[in-house]
Amino acid sequence: TDSGYNLWLNYRKIENPEVLSEYTRHIQGIYMESGEETLNIVKEELTLALKGLLGMSPPFVPGQPKEYSLIVRKTENLSREIRRKLEKDIPAITKDGYLIRSSGKNIVITAHNDIGILYGTFHFLRHLQQQLSLGNIRILEVPKTDIRVLNHWDNLDRTVERGYAGASIWKWHRLPGYIDPRYKDYARANASVGINGTVLTNVNASALVLTPAYIEKVAALADVFRPYGIKVYLTARFSAPIEIGGLETADPLNPEVRQWWKEKISEIYKEIPDFGGFLVKANSEGQPGPQNYGRSHVDGANMMADALAPHNGIVMWRAFVYSEHDTTDRAKQAYSEFVSLDGKFRDNVLIQVKNGAIDFQPREPFHPMFAAMPRTPLMMEFQITQEYLGFSTHMVFLPKLYEEVLQADTYSHGKGSYVAKVIDGTLDNKKISGIAGVANIGSDINWTGHPFGQANWYGFGRLAWDPYIPAEKIADEWLRLTFSNDENFVTPVKKMLLQSHRAVVNYMTPLGLHHIMDTGHHYGPGPWVNNLSRPEWNPVYYHKADENGIGFDRTPTGSNATSQYTKEVARIFNDVETCPEEFLLWFHHLPWDYKLHNGRTLWDGLGIKYQEGVNQVRKAKNTWKKMEPYVNKQQFGEISMLLDIQLEEAVWWRNACMLYFQTHSKKAFPKEMETPS
Ligand code: GCW
């Protein structure tokens, strides 16, 4: 049985005889250019996949066959005749893009470079796994963003901050001598969806990783990843010059400090010539940063950028900052600190912004910074690991959340100024673009703990490559690749996945509630918590429930956080009539008997939403019950058990929150809601 280790690359045998015969007819020969590393990997992957899918040893041939063959070659190595036939498409293959196209009776996979060939091959295999037709195929793909990275919050002792799938897959103590085979499979999986970078270490960083012993280990990993087109990045602890450099300060304007970083960075590049650069969390949640020395984010980021620039390295500087000093509304701080710095960062600095202004909540309105820094490349930071979303126990298909954010309209250049256009850099003509996902990967056999967590890794990669792919398509692809092409499986399970995000929002934080999880671990409800030293850590700070009502007023009568959005967006959020109901209590404090659009009171509406969440999980359980014939025993059992827990905990969430809020509202539960027992 498949334990899930092989992810969406499990290359199950195609059983459908018609599809099988179409494919074997088309692939009678493979004319592939030879090369090193990356092209060997292409060959390896084709061999593995065609053996699995078609049960054949791939017929590699030494010369160009006349027909019914696969031609896998760089554009410069195609025959003149084929080049002429593809003449219109070839110039459109830019960056690491590729073309898969029928040419006469052959199919050509081509690109300008080896990585493009690898990406094209993975796409072609995905096509076969979905049993799509090979007749007159024409697929032209170019990545829409430049930097497509996973952020591992992995510590050097192999614990993973907010990791729920086992220990870190980086076995630091055995590196560089021991290369775990898993490193290669990790790289394959990432390359198969176009991820081209990985930040190995936690943003709450240890300076140790910048010492020679660790640089050597990092170099060994970089060697494994390189042929897959994956660059390695590290987190840089701002105070490293003190901790490992023996200096007395880490002031970014101090010449000795600047020199220290310059030398450190050269040292890294000596070992890793294609090192990607740094990801930095500074002056946030107690991490050191330039503000410790009265300097700004610009001073800090540019210092590192200057040292990295000669090596073509970049700095990803995080905007996730909030402090105990301004506690009226934590949501406002990043914007207040960063927006005035627009245009002052070096060209190789990207500011990495979480999707929302608080912190990876089940649902958040998009971050207002996305509309406010036209002269600075802004990277999206999504969280793939489910810190506030039921860890690796609850099923939540996150591409739905990502899609909602990417498709949100910032109005920065009028209607249609989608967040996706900020992220891919097209809106303001950014020179560099990127998207990051906080990984959900660990050393569990199936990588992600929850078998469906794999869909979130997969989906993140697909959206990083192309932020416009509909979540529905991602769900469809992933299910077919991972489990089955049977419509009796794909249709209902896809529906289940696509509603899973709405379900979790309903049973955790409906109508715009947020940050009411229990303290520290963020698992399970804790809306009553009110005893933490910093006010903005307490759930009561966010829901502000009392006998009169509930919600956080962020309009001009309250914190006025809405003023950080463009006028058009602020107008929508400010007006309780036009504010989307899913963000109602995010932006408004309303009386318990406030009338919702459906005519019900806010109190009743809240209870109905919590109940709806529970019902949706129940429905998911029923759907899954019928899926036994389509997946293996182990997968069926695992997911059944997890859904049982999820249902129990959805009920827990509903009961805990509604019973607590009832101590304020003093109202009876709506009749639609099951009474907590
Ligand atoms: O969501 C919060 C987490 C912290 C995390 C921080 C961040 C890495 O609770 O664990 O620290 O965000 O994003 O920096």
Side-chain angles (χ1 to χ4, degrees):
T1 68
D2 181 3
S3 56
Y5 180 82
N6 293 320
L7 300 160
W8 49 89
L9 300 173
N10 59 46
Y11 303 130
R12 292 178 320 278
K13 176 92 199 291
I14 293 174
E15 306 287 355
N16 183 328
E18 277 156 55
V19 177
L20 205 57
S21 83
E22 186 200 345
Y23 287 180
T24 40
R25 182 162 48 88
H26 272 287
I27 312 177
Q28 293 175 26
I30 301 177
Y31 178 46
M32 204 194 132
E33 75 180 80
S34 52
E36 344 178 352
E37 300 199 300
T38 303
L39 291 175
N40 284 337
I41 286 167
V42 171
K43 210 166 177 180
E44 225 175 78
E45 198 68 28
L46 277 170
T47 306
L48 182 74
L50 297 182
K51 245 195 205 124
L53 294 167
L54 310 180
M56 69 153 141
S57 307
F60 291 104
V61 294
Q64 181 160 316
K66 288 250 163 335
E67 51 186 26
Y68 293 121
S69 288
L70 201 57
I71 295 167
V72 187
R73 300 178 79 77
K74 273 177 286 196
T75 47
E76 62 191 25
N77 296 329
L78 291 170
S79 72
R80 262 226 222 130
E81 190 200 340
I82 293 185
R83 259 213 313 261
R84 206 174 320 112
K85 278 194 190 141
L86 307 183
E87 163 178 85
K88 282 219 181 80
D89 283 339
I90 288 176
I93 312 172
T94 54
K95 299 186 176 174
D96 292 335
Y98 53 84
L99 173 70
I100 305 172
R101 207 184 150 161
S102 305
S103 167
K105 288 200 164 101
N106 292 317
I107 295 170
V108 180
I109 302 177
T110 190
H112 295 313
N113 58 30
D114 290 5
I115 295 301
I117 296 278
L118 180 65
Y119 289 156
T121 302
F122 273 121
H123 191 139
F124 178 73
L125 294 174
R126 206 152 67 217
H127 194 87
L128 301 187
Q129 285 172 288
Q130 295 172 77
Q131 306 189 6
L132 302 169
S133 163
L134 288 182
N136 249 329
I137 185 170
R138 177 172 175 269
I139 296 166
L140 179 73
E141 283 273 342
V142 172
K144 293 203 165 65
T145 66
D146 302 319
I147 298 156
R148 308 180 290 277
V149 285
L150 288 180
N151 287 183
H152 287 265
W153 287 356
D154 293 19
N155 299 313
L156 301 182
D157 64 3
R158 295 192 64 204
T159 55
V160 180
E161 180 151 355
R162 311 303 178 185
Y164 315 105
S168 167
I169 57 174
W170 318 131
K171 295 184 173 160
W172 292 108
H173 56 301
R174 284 181 160 188
L175 284 163
Y178 183 86
I179 303 299
D180 192 309
R182 201 158 185 158
Y183 302 150
K184 186 178 154 95
D185 290 327
Y186 167 85
R188 276 178 66 218
N190 281 326
S192 77
V193 287
I195 290 171
N196 68 356
T198 178
V199 185
L200 300 175
T201 44
N202 192 352
V203 288
N204 292 331
S206 158
L208 260 191
V209 79
L210 302 176
T211 57
Y214 274 93
I215 293 173
E216 205 188 332
K217 296 167 192 278
V218 174
L221 288 173
D223 289 343
V224 179
F225 301 158
R226 187 170 298 111
Y228 291 88
I230 295 168
K231 277 190 183 180
V232 158
Y233 301 77
L234 291 173
T235 47
R237 185 164 164 87
F238 203 79
S239 51
I242 303 173
E243 287 149 8
I244 59 167
L247 301 187
E248 259 156 34
T249 174
D251 180 347
L253 299 191
N254 176 302
E256 273 182 277
V257 171
R258 300 178 73 86
Q259 185 60 27
W260 185 85
W261 281 109
K262 226 173 123 182
E263 284 168 17
K264 180 52 68 185
I265 285 165
S266 303
E267 189 187 326
I268 297 174
Y269 277 94
K270 233 197 252 140
E271 301 297 321
I272 312 164
D274 57 350
F275 179 66
F278 289 147
L279 168 64
V280 187
K281 171 176 178 177
N283 294 120
S284 167
E285 299 185 326
Q287 295 297 314
Q291 292 170 355
N292 299 28
Y293 307 95
R295 314 296 184 194
S296 72
H297 290 294
V298 171
D299 298 326
N302 286 356
M303 168 193 63
M304 291 187 181
D306 287 341
L308 284 158
H311 310 278
N312 295 318
I314 59 157
V315 178
M316 296 170 279
W317 192 269
R318 292 177 89 227
F320 177 72
V321 293
Y322 70 99
S323 75
E324 63 276 31
H325 303 305
D326 172 19
T327 51
T328 54
D329 187 357
R330 169 180 161 187
K332 287 165 67 176
Q333 196 176 330
Y335 182 104
S336 323
E337 266 183 44
F338 277 90
V339 166
S340 63
L341 307 177
D342 189 27
K344 298 192 177 144
F345 292 98
R346 299 281 190 261
D347 285 349
N348 57 336
V349 176
L350 298 102
I351 303 299
Q352 184 170 307
V353 186
K354 286 189 184 181
N355 59 275
I358 296 289
D359 189 13
F360 296 140
Q361 294 305 293
R363 178 176 247 152
E364 287 194 47
F366 71 87
H367 205 303
M369 278 179 70
F370 290 126
M373 298 187 72
R375 293 193 291 156
T376 309
L378 298 181
M379 277 177 85
M380 172 66 75
E381 179 176 315
F382 281 131
Q383 197 178 40
I384 311 172
T385 191
Q386 294 171 217
E387 174 180 357
Y388 294 94
L389 283 145
F391 294 6
S392 59
T393 304
H394 293 206
M395 166 187 70
V396 188
F397 181 66
L398 288 173
K400 254 322 228 197
L401 181 162
Y402 305 155
E403 173 184 60
E404 180 175 298
V405 175
L406 290 164
Q407 292 308 314
D409 198 340
T410 68
Y411 280 86
S412 64
H413 294 259
K415 208 171 159 36
S417 305
Y418 304 114
V419 171
K421 293 189 181 175
V422 178
I423 298 312
D424 73 9
T426 53
L427 201 58
D428 291 293
N429 267 317
K430 303 275 169 71
K431 284 194 216 102
I432 181 168
S433 62
I435 172 163
V438 179
N440 61 346
I441 296 163
S443 49
D444 276 7
I445 294 177
N446 72 3
W447 302 83
T448 56
H450 199 302
F452 286 167
Q454 295 178 0
N456 298 333
W457 177 7
Y458 178 86
F460 165 77
R462 298 285 289 125
L463 284 167
W465 177 275
D466 177 355
Y468 303 89
I469 306 178
E472 198 264 341
K473 180 168 162 34
I474 294 171
D476 193 271
E477 283 177 11
W478 180 77
L479 285 170
R480 289 174 192 279
L481 268 41
T482 306
F483 294 109
S484 167
N485 272 292
D486 195 318
E487 297 302 333
N488 296 319
F489 172 81
V490 175
T491 307
V493 178
K494 184 164 62 178
K495 223 167 133 192
M496 172 178 101
L497 287 185
L498 291 174
Q499 65 98 60
S500 62
H501 175 243
R502 239 173 306 150
V504 76
V505 170
N506 285 337
Y507 67 69
M508 284 187 186
T509 53
L511 298 178
L513 287 175
H514 51 287
H515 216 295
I516 57 173
M517 294 75 192
D518 205 356
T519 306
H521 50 73
H522 298 155
Y523 192 84
W528 47 81
V529 175
N530 193 19
N531 59 356
L532 304 178
S533 59
R534 278 171 60 171
E536 79 285 12
W537 286 343
N538 288 307
V540 297
Y541 169 98
Y542 296 95
H543 62 69
K544 300 194 191 306
D546 60 20
E547 56 186 11
N548 298 318
I550 183 169
F552 198 130
D553 183 0
R554 294 193 162 101
T555 72
T557 56
S559 79
N560 204 16
T562 51
S563 66
Q564 296 184 334
Y565 288 98
T566 53
K567 275 203 198 69
E568 291 85 344
V569 175
R571 199 177 306 134
I572 295 169
F573 289 154
N574 278 337
D575 183 346
V576 71
E577 283 302 313
T578 54
C579 180
E581 207 156 84
E582 63 264 27
F583 296 132
L584 200 58
L585 303 177
W586 190 284
F587 290 113
H588 297 272
H589 184 82
L590 297 168
W592 292 111
D593 53 10
Y594 171 80
K595 280 260 153 35
L596 297 171
H597 286 303
N598 64 5
R600 304 296 299 261
T601 64
L602 175 58
W603 168 250
D604 283 359
L606 203 60
I608 290 169
K609 281 283 170 200
Y610 272 108
Q611 185 63 49
E612 198 179 315
V614 170
N615 297 346
Q616 285 164 321
V617 181
R618 237 173 235 150
K619 209 167 137 194
K621 256 189 69 167
N622 284 333
T623 301
W624 188 252
K625 235 187 251 159
K626 296 176 206 133
M627 295 304 128
E628 195 161 7
Y630 309 102
V631 296
N632 71 47
K633 233 194 171 120
Q634 184 182 336
Q635 294 164 329
F636 180 74
E638 275 177 15
I639 292 165
S640 304
M641 288 186 284
L642 288 167
L643 284 171
D644 285 346
I645 302 174
Q646 187 170 2
L647 178 56
E648 242 171 66
E649 297 187 343
V651 169
W652 170 34
W653 266 96
R654 179 201 63 198
N655 293 354
C657 292
M658 287 303 287
L659 285 166
Y660 164 73
F661 289 134
Q662 193 181 41
T663 64
H664 295 294
S665 79
K666 312 254 177 359
K667 290 177 185 298
F669 295 125
K671 61 179 186 319
E672 292 86 344
M673 202 188 116
E674 291 157 11
T675 312
S677 56

